Amino acid sequence: MFGRRAVVIISVIALVAGGIVFASSRCNPFAVVIQLKSMEKGVRQIVAAEEGSGTLSKVWFEIGNDSGESSFYTIALPRKQWKTVTIPPLASSGLYELERITLANDTVRYRWDDGTTCIRETADHGVRRQTSCDPGSPAITLANDSSLVISAIPDSGLYNSYPYRFSIALVAALAFCAAGFYLLRPFSGGAKRQNWREYLDRGVLLLLILLYFYQYGYLWSYSVDLPYWEEWEFFEPAALQSGLTFEWLFRHFGTNQQVVVFTKLMAWLDFKLFSLDFVKLKLMNYLVFGLFLVALMKFARQVCGEGFKFLPLFMLFLVSPIAYEAHAASFQSGEIFVMLFSMGMLCYSFPERHDYRHAAVFSICALCAIFSMHTGVVVAAVLLACRAVYVAVKVKRKESPPQEALVNLLLSGFITLAGIIYWLAGFRKPASSLPAWLLPTESKFWDQFFNLLAFGFGFDTPNPLPGVLILLFLLLPVMLLFTNSATRWQRSTWQIVAAILALLVLVAMITFGRGNYGGSIKLSRYTVYITPLIPLGALAWWLVLHGRKEMLVVLTLFWLLCCSAFADNWSYGIYRDLKQMDIMTLECVESYSSGRGDGNCPDTHAVPIGGFFDNARKLDINFTRQFAKPVQPK
């Protein structure tokens, strides 16, 4: 199957990759976290001097908030042992106030809250410990030019163990082997002359997988075992404390009155297996996202067969960190479950023959989407309507037996509508005061709609024009498919049109419900619904232009446009920032646990978390164990 030469080359490359990973993982990298209030923006640099050689490394970062509000910045240092770390003046004199400096890695944290007193934070058998640092180790001093210099940095927690380094090196080598054998495996038919497009397709697919697991690694490394917002409500008296009950699973839940059956099931499973470890829950959520990517590829193959070789190129944008909120908060799994089950509905929405299997699978996926999150109700309603029109026209054109089509449609319609009615019957308007709905009759609606649509395609700057152009780009192939009599009633046409329509309706629904909220509507978690329009739009244009010279030009320009818009959306370092926010929240939770605080932690929930925490401790939830025996600094 593989020549000896290919096996040798792949093996050597895998060994080299494993060696590089082993060597580079020697040190556990430090990060500097700066919390300050600034009235001045600007680019600054941290200068670190290496222990022994004195080699200087400069790391640039940007202060992007000049409002005077508290902000923090996480600056990752290279994997080395450092002698000193120098922090220059962060703004002009009198225009900034330094609140906290932290030097941290995965094992130990050193922090200075008042500029001189050093507190060391470690974990002893999983329990958080805070002690005063050893005298002068590390130390922070003020230089003549007003720079702050951290010196005498201990090597405690700096070096990774050999078993750990060997294990990740082995994983890297095996991954390179698998990738090499997949890339070079013979094509079907054993053709000696290989097509470059086949290699490109495989190479991009490998890149997609690499980026998916790269982001998985960031989630693994920078997640904190702590509930966030609705996750605290797992510890209501009628929730996990009462066991896995039908009433709890299907009860409208949380601040926004969601029905999140599969999110709760995943939390219950984590509770039984790992005492509800929220790090593992986030990783489980990301694995569901991986299933969605597989389902999207299956749907695309169903629409265009093996003809569209460039699908992975357009799916690359889905594994950028633009949707970090959906991955870093496990409660957002409801949104991902909606997308997963939507792919199932689309695969069985427009059958070429009418049998009960298609109706049953469509209906089951519709119910699953409805009870994943409220957006699933909208998707199920849109796809059911498209399915009804398609089946009715097929009957009218005498392409489907009327009786079988009617029974099929009634079955799927009855089950799906029953689920929607059940959901609506249990919905109650949240007690909290919320802004009024933003109606499409208001100009602000369309400004927000187009800005949100553009954000899913990577456009961060507030401007409705990119959203207008994107909408036209998505609707034009739809119109061309419908105006062509040869494609108007093809199954693939209705599949891609229904998929685009459902997601555009979701964008409109989000604008309708959230458009009047304060701040920008461009929230990361919403891109879970919008960014899939990139590969779906490419599929629509492929259906219109396949076999024509213009196809390659249109798809290339579209891909390059997306690359340009996403150029500033590939920084996975956002997960480092989120970790620091969670650690600050941990301090608030720890304060309540020790009896020093009132449980009012607004960064993690709108209401005091004391009652939730007490119930979680009764259940021996994993995150509460780190507060079992808090030790105060001397």
Side-chain angles (χ1 to χ4, degrees):
M1 185 176 180
F2 294 98
R4 181 177 297 179
R5 183 179 179 184
V7 172
V8 171
I9 292 175
I10 293 172
S11 300
V12 170
I13 292 175
L15 287 173
V16 171
I20 292 173
V21 170
F22 183 83
S24 62
S25 61
R26 176 173 176 262
C27 293
N28 189 4
F30 273 106
V32 177
V33 184
I34 302 172
Q35 185 177 352
L36 79 155
K37 297 177 181 177
S38 177
M39 302 295 294
E40 185 177 88
K41 293 182 179 180
V43 177
R44 302 290 184 265
Q45 68 175 3
I46 285 181
V47 180
E50 189 175 354
E51 183 71 40
S53 66
T55 304
L56 299 181
S57 294
K58 298 179 181 181
V59 183
W60 297 89
F61 70 101
E62 183 176 3
I63 296 177
N65 188 345
D66 60 357
S67 66
E69 297 179 354
S70 182
S71 302
F72 69 89
Y73 304 91
T74 306
I75 304 98
L77 301 178
R79 292 175 177 268
K80 296 179 181 179
Q81 183 178 4
W82 301 109
K83 180 180 180 181
T84 61
V85 175
T86 302
I87 304 171
L90 299 172
S92 300
S93 178
L95 294 182
Y96 76 100
E97 177 187 348
L98 195 59
E99 297 180 300
R100 172 183 286 188
I101 294 177
T102 304
L103 182 67
N105 60 23
D106 292 339
T107 305
V108 62
R109 292 170 55 84
Y110 306 100
R111 78 168 194 262
W112 294 266
D113 291 329
D114 57 7
T116 56
T117 304
C118 175
I119 301 297
R120 179 175 58 207
E121 300 176 6
T122 57
D124 182 11
H125 299 288
V127 178
R128 284 168 53 87
R129 303 292 189 192
Q130 294 188 23
T131 58
S132 297
C133 300
D134 296 333
S137 180
I140 190 166
T141 55
L142 182 65
N144 293 332
D145 62 353
S146 297
S147 297
L148 291 173
V149 180
I150 303 174
S151 58
I153 301 172
D155 61 4
S156 175
L158 176 65
Y159 298 106
N160 290 314
S161 66
Y162 280 101
Y164 169 79
R165 295 171 61 192
F166 178 78
S167 62
I168 62 173
L170 180 61
V171 170
L174 292 176
F176 267 86
C177 273
F181 288 129
Y182 169 75
L183 185 65
L184 298 179
R185 67 186 175 92
F187 296 109
S188 57
K192 293 182 179 179
R193 210 172 161 180
Q194 312 299 357
N195 191 324
W196 68 271
R197 289 189 178 182
E198 290 285 350
Y199 282 117
L200 178 63
D201 186 34
R202 292 179 182 181
V204 175
L205 181 58
L206 288 173
L207 179 60
L208 178 67
I209 295 172
L210 172 65
L211 289 176
Y212 171 82
F213 282 105
Y214 186 71
Q215 188 160 229
Y216 185 90
Y218 266 85
L219 282 168
W220 183 292
S221 300
Y222 294 109
S223 291
V224 175
D225 186 13
L226 185 72
Y228 180 73
W229 220 259
E230 285 95 341
E231 293 165 354
W232 284 103
E233 295 169 40
F234 290 145
F235 311 116
E236 290 180 334
L240 286 175
Q241 280 185 297
S242 300
L244 187 65
T245 64
F246 182 89
E247 190 278 333
W248 177 62
L249 282 177
F250 287 87
R251 175 165 54 90
H252 285 73
F253 174 80
T255 308
N256 294 319
Q257 290 287 287
Q258 314 277 14
V259 180
V260 288
V261 172
F262 293 95
T263 298
K264 293 178 181 178
L265 281 173
M266 201 160 65
W268 176 83
L269 180 63
D270 187 6
F271 173 55
K272 291 298 181 182
L273 294 177
F274 310 110
S275 299
L276 192 44
D277 184 329
F278 283 93
V279 173
K280 293 183 174 63
L281 195 59
K282 293 173 186 178
L283 297 177
M284 292 165 68
N285 174 34
Y286 193 66
L287 290 176
V288 175
F289 178 69
L291 292 178
F292 159 65
L293 295 179
V294 173
L296 177 58
M297 295 189 72
K298 175 178 172 55
F299 168 71
R301 295 287 186 244
Q302 192 180 90
V303 169
C304 64
E306 298 293 331
F308 188 44
K309 296 292 185 182
F310 305 115
L311 175 66
L313 274 173
F314 293 93
M315 289 185 64
L316 288 175
F317 305 105
L318 275 66
V319 291
S320 82
I322 193 171
Y324 67 88
E325 286 182 344
H327 303 316
S330 60
F331 190 82
Q332 303 301 330
S333 62
E335 297 172 339
I336 299 172
F337 274 117
V338 168
M339 296 302 295
L340 173 63
F341 294 124
S342 296
M343 292 299 107
M345 280 189 283
L346 285 165
C347 288
Y348 290 90
S349 291
F350 310 104
E352 294 178 344
R353 68 181 190 281
H354 297 287
D355 57 31
Y356 295 120
R357 185 174 71 92
H358 282 83
V361 174
F362 173 86
S363 302
I364 291 171
C365 289
L367 290 178
C368 290
I370 290 168
F371 295 115
S372 293
M373 187 165 269
H374 65 284
T375 48
V377 178
V378 177
V379 172
V382 170
L383 295 185
L384 179 64
C386 292
R387 176 183 172 86
V389 172
Y390 178 80
V391 171
V393 172
K394 285 291 186 179
V395 171
K396 184 177 179 180
R397 290 165 58 91
K398 298 181 180 180
E399 296 178 6
S400 296
Q403 186 174 357
E404 292 181 10
L406 180 62
V407 172
N408 187 288
L409 190 57
L410 287 176
L411 176 62
S412 58
F414 175 79
I415 295 175
T416 304
L417 290 175
I420 293 175
I421 293 170
Y422 181 90
W423 188 95
L424 292 173
F427 178 79
R428 298 291 182 271
K429 185 177 180 180
S432 59
S433 177
L434 298 176
W437 289 332
L438 182 59
L439 301 178
T441 54
E442 302 178 51
S443 60
K444 182 181 177 182
F445 175 93
W446 296 105
D447 182 76
Q448 296 280 59
F449 174 87
F450 289 124
N451 268 288
L452 180 57
L453 180 62
F455 183 50
F457 283 70
F459 292 91
D460 305 306
T461 305
N463 188 343
L465 181 58
V468 173
L469 298 177
I470 289 167
L471 182 63
L472 292 175
F473 182 85
L474 293 172
L475 294 181
L476 184 55
V478 170
M479 292 186 289
L480 292 174
L481 288 169
F482 275 139
T483 54
N484 187 342
S485 59
T487 58
R488 186 178 304 148
W489 301 111
Q490 287 182 352
R491 181 193 186 198
S492 57
T493 295
W494 278 79
Q495 284 181 303
I496 200 66
V497 169
I500 292 174
L501 177 62
L503 295 186
L504 288 177
V505 171
L506 279 185
V507 178
M509 188 201 79
I510 294 170
T511 307
F512 176 77
R514 308 286 295 190
N516 273 328
Y517 279 58
S520 175
I521 197 173
K522 295 186 173 186
L523 297 180
S524 167
R525 60 183 180 273
Y526 297 148
T527 61
V528 168
Y529 300 126
I530 307 170
T531 309
L533 285 168
I534 295 176
L536 293 175
L539 279 170
W541 278 104
W542 184 88
L543 289 175
V544 172
L545 298 174
H546 72 279
R548 296 165 57 178
K549 295 180 180 178
E550 295 89 344
M551 180 191 73
L552 190 60
V553 175
V554 171
L555 293 181
T556 300
L557 291 176
F558 178 43
W559 188 78
L560 290 175
L561 174 66
C562 292
C563 283
S564 175
F566 270 82
D568 58 349
N569 284 306
W570 291 100
S571 176
Y572 294 92
I574 184 65
Y575 293 108
R576 284 195 295 263
D577 294 338
L578 293 178
K579 178 177 181 178
Q580 300 309 318
M581 293 176 64
D582 287 342
I583 289 174
M584 293 170 68
T585 302
L586 270 179
E587 295 175 10
C588 181
V589 177
E590 183 177 33
S591 179
Y592 172 80
S593 172
S594 64
R596 293 179 289 108
D598 58 3
N600 186 22
C601 303
D603 289 333
T604 192
H605 206 293
V607 301
I609 52 88
F612 300 131
F613 182 86
D614 293 341
N615 289 336
R617 175 166 277 174
K618 292 176 185 177
L619 292 171
D620 192 30
I621 300 300
N622 193 71
F623 83 92
T624 65
R625 298 171 184 172
Q626 60 191 314
F627 307 118
K629 297 178 181 179
V631 176
Q632 301 302 322
K634 298 179 181 179

